[in-house]
Amino acid sequence: ESPKVTIHELGYDNTKKVVAGNDLHIDAEIIADYKIASIQLIIHSEAEHAAAPSQKVKSGIIASSEWAVDSIYTKGYTGVKNTEFHEHLEVPLYAVPGDYHFHMKVTDMDGNQTIVEDELTVEAAVIEQ
């Protein structure tokens, strides 16, 4: 049987939003009868890669790079059947505001996989001068 993944929080208070320059809160319950081998997080922009390479946001900061994540988590998770995945990902200040796609892929030690997907919004940082 494939691992069971329930996301309790994506963004502070499960808002599915994060402000550039802050941490993205992720909290999920994972149950894997055949024990967890790895947890992979992938986050990528929904915007077409051919879009303008930079945007000036209202904070005056030039957003010049799409933020993306492709990370594998094993430490503290590998070999356990049940766990609470709780991580904070740093979103750089220069991350382009907009819509992003979130994937969490859990693979167990028998090779079974579960992929959970959701939408995420990166908001521009507002810097007071």
Side-chain angles (χ1 to χ4, degrees):
E1 188 166 322
S2 296
K4 293 176 183 62
V5 179
T6 305
I7 296 177
H8 296 294
E9 184 178 39
L10 180 60
Y12 185 71
D13 283 339
N14 201 33
T15 59
K16 298 181 184 6
K17 295 179 183 179
V18 63
V19 175
N22 290 300
D23 289 345
L24 171 63
H25 298 251
I26 303 168
D27 187 74
E29 179 182 359
I30 301 171
I31 301 171
D33 291 337
Y34 297 106
K35 298 182 182 176
I36 296 168
S38 66
I39 301 167
Q40 182 178 18
L41 295 183
I42 299 170
I43 302 171
H44 59 88
S45 174
E46 290 288 352
E48 294 183 4
H49 295 291
S54 67
Q55 299 176 335
K56 183 163 176 136
V57 296
K58 62 185 171 185
S59 65
I61 292 172
I62 301 296
S64 60
S65 178
E66 286 186 0
W67 171 63
V69 173
D70 188 350
S71 299
I72 296 177
Y73 295 81
T74 55
K75 187 175 181 179
Y77 300 114
T78 297
V80 298
K81 285 182 134 187
N82 306 325
T83 192
E84 192 72 22
F85 179 88
H86 187 90
E87 298 289 337
H88 295 229
L89 298 178
E90 188 176 319
V91 179
L93 194 57
Y94 62 78
V96 174
D99 296 327
Y100 287 73
H101 199 80
F102 171 88
H103 309 261
M104 175 183 270
K105 179 168 71 172
V106 178
T107 304
D108 69 18
M109 293 190 164
D110 203 35
N112 301 307
Q113 293 183 340
T114 298
I115 300 173
V116 177
E117 301 179 21
D118 211 334
E119 301 301 317
L120 175 68
T121 301
V122 173
E123 297 179 339
V126 176
I127 298 176
E128 296 182 26
Q129 298 178 3

